[in-house]
Amino acid sequence: MLLLTGVICAGGAALFFRFFGSDAVNIILLLTLICTLIDNARLRRRLREMGARPEGKRTWL
C-alpha cells in the first residue's frame, strides 16, 4: 500500500508540473503563503481565547 501511495503521489506531482509548467513553483509558493497566513490567524485567535496578551505592537493586519 505504501509503494502504491508513493507511485500515485509521484504521478500526481508529475502531472501537476506538466500541466502548470514554469508557473508550478509560483503556485506552490502562493499556496504556502496563504496557508501560513491562515495558520497565523488561527494561532493568534487561539492565544486570545487563552488570555494571552500581545507584548509588541502589531504593525500589519
Side-chain angles (χ1 to χ4, degrees):
M1 290 302 291
L2 187 59
L3 185 59
L4 179 63
T5 302
V7 169
I8 290 171
C9 287
L15 287 175
F16 177 80
F17 280 99
R18 181 175 290 264
F19 183 73
F20 288 110
S22 62
D23 291 333
V25 175
N26 293 333
I27 291 170
I28 291 171
L29 288 174
L30 180 64
L31 287 174
T32 303
L33 177 65
I34 290 170
C35 290
T36 302
L37 291 174
I38 291 170
D39 191 44
N40 190 13
R42 181 187 62 84
L43 289 173
R44 285 183 183 273
R45 188 177 329 112
R46 189 163 182 199
L47 281 172
R48 276 195 302 268
E49 289 172 358
M50 293 173 58
R53 299 166 78 188
E55 294 179 11
K57 192 173 190 180
R58 257 197 322 189
T59 59
W60 59 276
L61 200 58

Short mmCIF file of all heavy atoms in Angstrom, two decimals:
data_model
loop_
_atom_site.label_atom_id
_atom_site.label_comp_id
_atom_site.label_asym_id
_atom_site.label_seq_id
_atom_site.Cartn_x
_atom_site.Cartn_y
_atom_site.Cartn_z
N MET A 1 0.82 -1.19 0.00
CA MET A 1 0.00 0.00 0.00
C MET A 1 0.87 1.26 0.00
O MET A 1 0.53 2.23 -0.66
CB MET A 1 -0.92 0.01 1.22
CG MET A 1 -2.04 -1.02 1.20
SD MET A 1 -3.13 -0.87 -0.22
CE MET A 1 -3.94 0.63 0.14
N LEU A 2 1.97 1.21 0.76
CA LEU A 2 2.84 2.38 0.82
C LEU A 2 3.50 2.64 -0.54
O LEU A 2 3.60 3.79 -0.97
CB LEU A 2 3.90 2.18 1.90
CG LEU A 2 4.80 3.38 2.20
CD1 LEU A 2 3.98 4.57 2.65
CD2 LEU A 2 5.82 3.01 3.26
N LEU A 3 3.91 1.60 -1.21
CA LEU A 3 4.51 1.74 -2.53
C LEU A 3 3.49 2.29 -3.53
O LEU A 3 3.79 3.17 -4.33
CB LEU A 3 5.06 0.39 -3.01
CG LEU A 3 5.83 0.40 -4.32
CD1 LEU A 3 7.02 1.34 -4.22
CD2 LEU A 3 6.28 -0.99 -4.67
N LEU A 4 2.27 1.79 -3.47
CA LEU A 4 1.21 2.27 -4.35
C LEU A 4 0.92 3.75 -4.08
O LEU A 4 0.76 4.54 -5.02
CB LEU A 4 -0.05 1.43 -4.16
CG LEU A 4 -1.26 1.83 -5.00
CD1 LEU A 4 -0.95 1.67 -6.48
CD2 LEU A 4 -2.46 1.01 -4.59
N THR A 5 0.88 4.13 -2.83
CA THR A 5 0.65 5.54 -2.48
C THR A 5 1.78 6.41 -3.02
O THR A 5 1.53 7.51 -3.54
CB THR A 5 0.54 5.69 -0.95
OG1 THR A 5 -0.51 4.86 -0.47
CG2 THR A 5 0.27 7.12 -0.56
N GLY A 6 3.01 5.95 -2.91
CA GLY A 6 4.15 6.70 -3.43
C GLY A 6 4.08 6.88 -4.94
O GLY A 6 4.37 7.95 -5.46
N VAL A 7 3.67 5.82 -5.64
CA VAL A 7 3.54 5.91 -7.11
C VAL A 7 2.43 6.88 -7.49
O VAL A 7 2.59 7.69 -8.42
CB VAL A 7 3.28 4.50 -7.69
CG1 VAL A 7 2.88 4.58 -9.15
CG2 VAL A 7 4.51 3.62 -7.53
N ILE A 8 1.33 6.85 -6.77
CA ILE A 8 0.22 7.77 -7.06
C ILE A 8 0.63 9.21 -6.80
O ILE A 8 0.34 10.11 -7.61
CB ILE A 8 -1.03 7.38 -6.24
CG1 ILE A 8 -1.60 6.06 -6.77
CG2 ILE A 8 -2.08 8.47 -6.29
CD1 ILE A 8 -2.70 5.49 -5.92
N CYS A 9 1.33 9.47 -5.68
CA CYS A 9 1.79 10.82 -5.38
C CYS A 9 2.81 11.31 -6.42
O CYS A 9 2.78 12.47 -6.83
CB CYS A 9 2.39 10.87 -3.98
SG CYS A 9 1.17 10.76 -2.67
N ALA A 10 3.71 10.45 -6.82
CA ALA A 10 4.69 10.83 -7.84
C ALA A 10 4.00 11.14 -9.17
O ALA A 10 4.37 12.10 -9.86
CB ALA A 10 5.71 9.72 -8.02
N GLY A 11 3.01 10.35 -9.52
CA GLY A 11 2.26 10.62 -10.75
C GLY A 11 1.50 11.94 -10.68
O GLY A 11 1.47 12.71 -11.64
N GLY A 12 0.91 12.20 -9.52
CA GLY A 12 0.20 13.47 -9.34
C GLY A 12 1.15 14.66 -9.42
O GLY A 12 0.82 15.68 -10.02
N ALA A 13 2.32 14.53 -8.84
CA ALA A 13 3.31 15.61 -8.90
C ALA A 13 3.79 15.82 -10.34
O ALA A 13 3.94 16.96 -10.79
CB ALA A 13 4.49 15.29 -8.00
N ALA A 14 4.01 14.73 -11.06
CA ALA A 14 4.44 14.86 -12.45
C ALA A 14 3.37 15.54 -13.29
O ALA A 14 3.68 16.42 -14.12
CB ALA A 14 4.77 13.49 -13.02
N LEU A 15 2.12 15.18 -13.09
CA LEU A 15 1.03 15.83 -13.82
C LEU A 15 0.90 17.30 -13.46
O LEU A 15 0.64 18.14 -14.32
CB LEU A 15 -0.30 15.10 -13.56
CG LEU A 15 -0.46 13.75 -14.22
CD1 LEU A 15 -1.75 13.08 -13.77
CD2 LEU A 15 -0.43 13.90 -15.74
N PHE A 16 1.07 17.61 -12.17
CA PHE A 16 0.99 19.00 -11.73
C PHE A 16 2.04 19.85 -12.43
O PHE A 16 1.73 20.91 -12.96
CB PHE A 16 1.18 19.06 -10.20
CG PHE A 16 1.19 20.44 -9.64
CD1 PHE A 16 0.01 21.12 -9.42
CD2 PHE A 16 2.39 21.06 -9.32
CE1 PHE A 16 0.01 22.41 -8.90
CE2 PHE A 16 2.40 22.34 -8.79
CZ PHE A 16 1.21 23.01 -8.58
N PHE A 17 3.30 19.37 -12.44
CA PHE A 17 4.37 20.14 -13.07
C PHE A 17 4.22 20.17 -14.59
O PHE A 17 4.59 21.15 -15.23
CB PHE A 17 5.74 19.60 -12.66
CG PHE A 17 6.16 20.08 -11.30
CD1 PHE A 17 6.00 19.28 -10.19
CD2 PHE A 17 6.70 21.34 -11.14
CE1 PHE A 17 6.38 19.71 -8.94
CE2 PHE A 17 7.09 21.79 -9.89
CZ PHE A 17 6.93 20.97 -8.79
N ARG A 18 3.69 19.11 -15.18
CA ARG A 18 3.49 19.10 -16.63
C ARG A 18 2.38 20.08 -17.03
O ARG A 18 2.48 20.80 -18.02
CB ARG A 18 3.14 17.70 -17.11
CG ARG A 18 2.94 17.61 -18.61
CD ARG A 18 2.72 16.20 -19.04
NE ARG A 18 3.95 15.42 -18.91
CZ ARG A 18 4.78 15.20 -19.93
NH1 ARG A 18 4.52 15.67 -21.11
NH2 ARG A 18 5.86 14.48 -19.74
N PHE A 19 1.32 20.13 -16.23
CA PHE A 19 0.18 21.00 -16.55
C PHE A 19 0.52 22.47 -16.34
O PHE A 19 0.18 23.31 -17.17
CB PHE A 19 -1.03 20.59 -15.69
CG PHE A 19 -2.27 21.38 -15.99
CD1 PHE A 19 -2.98 21.16 -17.16
CD2 PHE A 19 -2.72 22.34 -15.11
CE1 PHE A 19 -4.12 21.89 -17.44
CE2 PHE A 19 -3.86 23.06 -15.37
CZ PHE A 19 -4.57 22.84 -16.55
N PHE A 20 1.17 22.81 -15.23
CA PHE A 20 1.44 24.21 -14.91
C PHE A 20 2.78 24.69 -15.41
O PHE A 20 3.02 25.90 -15.48
CB PHE A 20 1.33 24.44 -13.40
CG PHE A 20 -0.08 24.38 -12.90
CD1 PHE A 20 -0.49 23.33 -12.11
CD2 PHE A 20 -0.99 25.36 -13.23
CE1 PHE A 20 -1.78 23.26 -11.65
CE2 PHE A 20 -2.28 25.31 -12.77
CZ PHE A 20 -2.69 24.25 -11.97
N GLY A 21 3.69 23.81 -15.73
CA GLY A 21 4.99 24.19 -16.29
C GLY A 21 5.79 25.07 -15.35
O GLY A 21 5.98 24.75 -14.18
N SER A 22 6.27 26.20 -15.87
CA SER A 22 7.13 27.08 -15.07
C SER A 22 6.36 27.83 -14.00
O SER A 22 6.97 28.41 -13.09
CB SER A 22 7.86 28.07 -15.99
OG SER A 22 6.91 28.89 -16.64
N ASP A 23 5.04 27.87 -14.07
CA ASP A 23 4.24 28.53 -13.04
C ASP A 23 4.01 27.66 -11.81
O ASP A 23 3.48 28.13 -10.80
CB ASP A 23 2.88 28.95 -13.60
CG ASP A 23 2.99 30.06 -14.61
OD1 ASP A 23 3.95 30.85 -14.51
OD2 ASP A 23 2.11 30.15 -15.50
N ALA A 24 4.42 26.41 -11.85
CA ALA A 24 4.18 25.48 -10.75
C ALA A 24 4.84 25.96 -9.46
O ALA A 24 4.25 25.89 -8.38
CB ALA A 24 4.66 24.09 -11.11
N VAL A 25 6.07 26.46 -9.56
CA VAL A 25 6.77 26.92 -8.36
C VAL A 25 6.05 28.11 -7.76
O VAL A 25 5.90 28.22 -6.54
CB VAL A 25 8.24 27.26 -8.70
CG1 VAL A 25 8.95 27.86 -7.50
CG2 VAL A 25 8.97 26.03 -9.18
N ASN A 26 5.58 29.03 -8.60
CA ASN A 26 4.85 30.20 -8.10
C ASN A 26 3.54 29.78 -7.42
O ASN A 26 3.17 30.36 -6.40
CB ASN A 26 4.55 31.17 -9.24
CG ASN A 26 5.80 31.81 -9.79
OD1 ASN A 26 6.79 31.95 -9.07
ND2 ASN A 26 5.76 32.19 -11.05
N ILE A 27 2.87 28.79 -7.95
CA ILE A 27 1.63 28.31 -7.34
C ILE A 27 1.92 27.68 -5.98
O ILE A 27 1.19 27.92 -5.01
CB ILE A 27 0.93 27.32 -8.29
CG1 ILE A 27 0.40 28.06 -9.51
CG2 ILE A 27 -0.20 26.59 -7.58
CD1 ILE A 27 -0.09 27.17 -10.61
N ILE A 28 2.98 26.90 -5.90
CA ILE A 28 3.34 26.28 -4.62
C ILE A 28 3.69 27.35 -3.59
O ILE A 28 3.27 27.27 -2.42
CB ILE A 28 4.50 25.29 -4.82
CG1 ILE A 28 4.02 24.08 -5.62
CG2 ILE A 28 5.08 24.84 -3.49
CD1 ILE A 28 5.11 23.15 -6.05
N LEU A 29 4.45 28.37 -3.99
CA LEU A 29 4.80 29.45 -3.07
C LEU A 29 3.57 30.23 -2.62
O LEU A 29 3.45 30.60 -1.45
CB LEU A 29 5.81 30.39 -3.71
CG LEU A 29 7.22 29.84 -3.86
CD1 LEU A 29 8.10 30.80 -4.64
CD2 LEU A 29 7.82 29.56 -2.50
N LEU A 30 2.64 30.48 -3.54
CA LEU A 30 1.41 31.19 -3.19
C LEU A 30 0.58 30.38 -2.20
O LEU A 30 0.08 30.93 -1.21
CB LEU A 30 0.60 31.48 -4.45
CG LEU A 30 -0.72 32.22 -4.24
CD1 LEU A 30 -0.46 33.60 -3.68
CD2 LEU A 30 -1.49 32.29 -5.54
N LEU A 31 0.44 29.09 -2.43
CA LEU A 31 -0.31 28.24 -1.50
C LEU A 31 0.36 28.19 -0.13
O LEU A 31 -0.32 28.22 0.90
CB LEU A 31 -0.44 26.83 -2.07
CG LEU A 31 -1.41 26.66 -3.24
CD1 LEU A 31 -1.33 25.24 -3.78
CD2 LEU A 31 -2.82 26.99 -2.80
N THR A 32 1.69 28.16 -0.10
CA THR A 32 2.42 28.15 1.16
C THR A 32 2.19 29.45 1.93
O THR A 32 1.95 29.44 3.14
CB THR A 32 3.93 27.95 0.91
OG1 THR A 32 4.12 26.74 0.19
CG2 THR A 32 4.70 27.92 2.20
N LEU A 33 2.22 30.57 1.23
CA LEU A 33 1.99 31.87 1.87
C LEU A 33 0.58 31.96 2.43
O LEU A 33 0.38 32.39 3.56
CB LEU A 33 2.24 33.00 0.87
CG LEU A 33 1.98 34.41 1.38
CD1 LEU A 33 2.96 34.75 2.51
CD2 LEU A 33 2.08 35.40 0.26
N ILE A 34 -0.41 31.54 1.66
CA ILE A 34 -1.80 31.59 2.11
C ILE A 34 -2.00 30.69 3.33
O ILE A 34 -2.63 31.11 4.31
CB ILE A 34 -2.74 31.20 0.96
CG1 ILE A 34 -2.75 32.29 -0.11
CG2 ILE A 34 -4.15 30.95 1.47
CD1 ILE A 34 -3.46 31.90 -1.39
N CYS A 35 -1.46 29.49 3.29
CA CYS A 35 -1.61 28.58 4.43
C CYS A 35 -0.92 29.12 5.67
O CYS A 35 -1.43 28.97 6.79
CB CYS A 35 -1.06 27.20 4.08
SG CYS A 35 -2.07 26.32 2.89
N THR A 36 0.23 29.77 5.50
CA THR A 36 0.94 30.35 6.64
C THR A 36 0.13 31.48 7.26
O THR A 36 0.02 31.57 8.50
CB THR A 36 2.32 30.87 6.20
OG1 THR A 36 3.05 29.79 5.64
CG2 THR A 36 3.08 31.46 7.36
N LEU A 37 -0.46 32.33 6.45
CA LEU A 37 -1.28 33.43 6.97
C LEU A 37 -2.52 32.90 7.70
O LEU A 37 -2.89 33.42 8.76
CB LEU A 37 -1.67 34.38 5.84
CG LEU A 37 -0.53 35.19 5.24
CD1 LEU A 37 -1.02 35.98 4.04
CD2 LEU A 37 0.08 36.11 6.29
N ILE A 38 -3.15 31.89 7.14
CA ILE A 38 -4.33 31.30 7.78
C ILE A 38 -3.96 30.67 9.12
O ILE A 38 -4.65 30.84 10.13
CB ILE A 38 -5.00 30.28 6.85
CG1 ILE A 38 -5.64 30.99 5.66
CG2 ILE A 38 -6.03 29.44 7.59
CD1 ILE A 38 -6.12 30.06 4.58
N ASP A 39 -2.84 29.96 9.16
CA ASP A 39 -2.40 29.32 10.40
C ASP A 39 -2.02 30.36 11.44
O ASP A 39 -2.33 30.20 12.63
CB ASP A 39 -1.22 28.40 10.12
CG ASP A 39 -0.88 27.51 11.30
OD1 ASP A 39 -1.82 26.97 11.92
OD2 ASP A 39 0.31 27.35 11.59
N ASN A 40 -1.39 31.44 11.01
CA ASN A 40 -1.02 32.50 11.93
C ASN A 40 -2.27 33.13 12.54
O ASN A 40 -2.32 33.38 13.75
CB ASN A 40 -0.19 33.55 11.20
CG ASN A 40 0.42 34.55 12.15
OD1 ASN A 40 0.42 34.36 13.35
ND2 ASN A 40 0.93 35.64 11.59
N ALA A 41 -3.29 33.38 11.73
CA ALA A 41 -4.54 33.95 12.24
C ALA A 41 -5.21 32.99 13.22
O ALA A 41 -5.72 33.41 14.27
CB ALA A 41 -5.47 34.28 11.09
N ARG A 42 -5.18 31.71 12.92
CA ARG A 42 -5.78 30.71 13.81
C ARG A 42 -5.05 30.68 15.15
O ARG A 42 -5.67 30.64 16.22
CB ARG A 42 -5.72 29.33 13.15
CG ARG A 42 -6.34 28.21 13.98
CD ARG A 42 -6.10 26.86 13.34
NE ARG A 42 -4.69 26.51 13.24
CZ ARG A 42 -3.99 25.96 14.23
NH1 ARG A 42 -4.55 25.70 15.39
NH2 ARG A 42 -2.72 25.66 14.05
N LEU A 43 -3.72 30.70 15.11
CA LEU A 43 -2.94 30.67 16.34
C LEU A 43 -3.14 31.93 17.17
O LEU A 43 -3.22 31.87 18.40
CB LEU A 43 -1.46 30.47 16.03
CG LEU A 43 -1.09 29.08 15.52
CD1 LEU A 43 0.36 29.06 15.07
CD2 LEU A 43 -1.35 28.04 16.57
N ARG A 44 -3.24 33.10 16.52
CA ARG A 44 -3.49 34.34 17.25
C ARG A 44 -4.85 34.30 17.93
O ARG A 44 -5.00 34.73 19.07
CB ARG A 44 -3.41 35.53 16.32
CG ARG A 44 -2.01 35.90 15.94
CD ARG A 44 -1.99 37.16 15.08
NE ARG A 44 -0.68 37.50 14.65
CZ ARG A 44 0.16 38.24 15.36
NH1 ARG A 44 -0.20 38.70 16.53
NH2 ARG A 44 1.36 38.51 14.90
N ARG A 45 -5.86 33.78 17.23
CA ARG A 45 -7.20 33.66 17.80
C ARG A 45 -7.18 32.73 19.01
O ARG A 45 -7.77 33.02 20.05
CB ARG A 45 -8.18 33.14 16.75
CG ARG A 45 -9.61 33.17 17.20
CD ARG A 45 -10.59 32.71 16.13
NE ARG A 45 -10.19 32.97 14.75
CZ ARG A 45 -9.86 32.02 13.87
NH1 ARG A 45 -9.90 30.76 14.20
NH2 ARG A 45 -9.50 32.34 12.64
N ARG A 46 -6.44 31.64 18.88
CA ARG A 46 -6.36 30.68 19.99
C ARG A 46 -5.65 31.28 21.20
O ARG A 46 -6.04 31.06 22.35
CB ARG A 46 -5.64 29.43 19.52
CG ARG A 46 -5.70 28.32 20.50
CD ARG A 46 -5.34 27.03 19.83
NE ARG A 46 -5.44 25.95 20.79
CZ ARG A 46 -4.88 24.78 20.67
NH1 ARG A 46 -4.18 24.52 19.57
NH2 ARG A 46 -5.01 23.87 21.57
N LEU A 47 -4.60 32.07 20.96
CA LEU A 47 -3.91 32.73 22.05
C LEU A 47 -4.81 33.73 22.75
O LEU A 47 -4.81 33.85 23.97
CB LEU A 47 -2.65 33.42 21.54
CG LEU A 47 -1.44 32.54 21.32
CD1 LEU A 47 -0.33 33.32 20.63
CD2 LEU A 47 -0.95 31.96 22.62
N ARG A 48 -5.61 34.48 21.98
CA ARG A 48 -6.55 35.43 22.58
C ARG A 48 -7.58 34.71 23.43
O ARG A 48 -7.95 35.18 24.50
CB ARG A 48 -7.25 36.25 21.50
CG ARG A 48 -6.47 37.45 21.05
CD ARG A 48 -7.32 38.42 20.27
NE ARG A 48 -7.94 37.81 19.10
CZ ARG A 48 -7.42 37.79 17.89
NH1 ARG A 48 -6.26 38.36 17.68
NH2 ARG A 48 -8.05 37.22 16.89
N GLU A 49 -8.04 33.54 22.96
CA GLU A 49 -9.01 32.77 23.73
C GLU A 49 -8.41 32.28 25.04
O GLU A 49 -9.12 32.14 26.03
CB GLU A 49 -9.51 31.58 22.92
CG GLU A 49 -10.41 31.94 21.76
CD GLU A 49 -10.72 30.75 20.86
OE1 GLU A 49 -10.18 29.64 21.12
OE2 GLU A 49 -11.47 30.93 19.90
N MET A 50 -7.11 32.01 25.05
CA MET A 50 -6.44 31.53 26.25
C MET A 50 -6.07 32.67 27.19
O MET A 50 -5.58 32.44 28.29
CB MET A 50 -5.19 30.73 25.88
CG MET A 50 -5.50 29.44 25.16
SD MET A 50 -4.03 28.60 24.54
CE MET A 50 -3.10 28.38 26.03
N GLY A 51 -6.27 33.91 26.77
CA GLY A 51 -5.99 35.05 27.62
C GLY A 51 -4.61 35.64 27.46
O GLY A 51 -4.20 36.47 28.27
N ALA A 52 -3.89 35.25 26.45
CA ALA A 52 -2.55 35.80 26.24
C ALA A 52 -2.66 37.23 25.73
O ALA A 52 -3.55 37.56 24.95
CB ALA A 52 -1.77 34.95 25.24
N ARG A 53 -1.76 38.07 26.21
CA ARG A 53 -1.75 39.46 25.77
C ARG A 53 -0.53 39.68 24.89
O ARG A 53 0.56 39.23 25.23
CB ARG A 53 -1.69 40.38 26.98
CG ARG A 53 -2.90 40.20 27.88
CD ARG A 53 -2.69 40.83 29.21
NE ARG A 53 -2.86 42.28 29.13
CZ ARG A 53 -2.58 43.09 30.12
NH1 ARG A 53 -2.11 42.62 31.25
NH2 ARG A 53 -2.76 44.38 29.99
N PRO A 54 -0.70 40.38 23.78
CA PRO A 54 0.45 40.61 22.90
C PRO A 54 1.47 41.54 23.57
O PRO A 54 1.10 42.49 24.24
CB PRO A 54 -0.16 41.27 21.66
CG PRO A 54 -1.47 41.79 22.10
CD PRO A 54 -1.92 40.94 23.25
N GLU A 55 2.75 41.21 23.40
CA GLU A 55 3.80 42.01 24.03
C GLU A 55 4.21 43.19 23.16
O GLU A 55 4.57 44.23 23.66
CB GLU A 55 5.03 41.14 24.30
CG GLU A 55 4.77 40.07 25.33
CD GLU A 55 5.99 39.21 25.57
OE1 GLU A 55 7.08 39.60 25.09
OE2 GLU A 55 5.85 38.18 26.22
N GLY A 56 4.17 43.01 21.86
CA GLY A 56 4.59 44.08 20.96
C GLY A 56 3.40 44.66 20.24
O GLY A 56 2.29 44.14 20.26
N LYS A 57 3.64 45.78 19.58
CA LYS A 57 2.59 46.43 18.82
C LYS A 57 2.62 45.89 17.40
O LYS A 57 3.66 45.90 16.75
CB LYS A 57 2.82 47.94 18.81
CG LYS A 57 1.66 48.73 18.32
CD LYS A 57 1.92 50.20 18.50
CE LYS A 57 0.66 50.97 18.23
NZ LYS A 57 0.90 52.40 18.40
N ARG A 58 1.47 45.40 16.94
CA ARG A 58 1.41 44.87 15.57
C ARG A 58 1.33 46.02 14.59
O ARG A 58 0.59 46.97 14.79
CB ARG A 58 0.17 44.00 15.40
CG ARG A 58 0.50 42.56 15.41
CD ARG A 58 -0.56 41.67 14.87
NE ARG A 58 -1.91 42.05 15.18
CZ ARG A 58 -2.94 41.29 14.91
NH1 ARG A 58 -2.77 40.12 14.38
NH2 ARG A 58 -4.16 41.67 15.18
N THR A 59 2.09 45.93 13.52
CA THR A 59 2.08 46.99 12.53
C THR A 59 1.38 46.58 11.25
O THR A 59 1.32 47.35 10.31
CB THR A 59 3.53 47.41 12.19
OG1 THR A 59 4.23 46.26 11.70
CG2 THR A 59 4.24 47.95 13.41
N TRP A 60 0.84 45.37 11.19
CA TRP A 60 0.15 44.90 9.99
C TRP A 60 -1.06 44.10 10.39
O TRP A 60 -1.17 43.61 11.49
CB TRP A 60 1.06 44.07 9.10
CG TRP A 60 1.59 42.87 9.80
CD1 TRP A 60 2.68 42.79 10.61
CD2 TRP A 60 1.03 41.56 9.80
NE1 TRP A 60 2.83 41.53 11.09
CE2 TRP A 60 1.83 40.76 10.62
CE3 TRP A 60 -0.09 41.00 9.18
CZ2 TRP A 60 1.56 39.42 10.83
CZ3 TRP A 60 -0.33 39.68 9.40
CH2 TRP A 60 0.47 38.89 10.22
N LEU A 61 -1.96 43.95 9.50
CA LEU A 61 -3.19 43.17 9.63
C LEU A 61 -4.02 43.59 10.79
O LEU A 61 -4.11 43.30 11.85
CB LEU A 61 -2.87 41.69 9.64
CG LEU A 61 -4.01 40.73 9.31
CD1 LEU A 61 -4.62 41.00 7.96
CD2 LEU A 61 -3.55 39.31 9.41
#
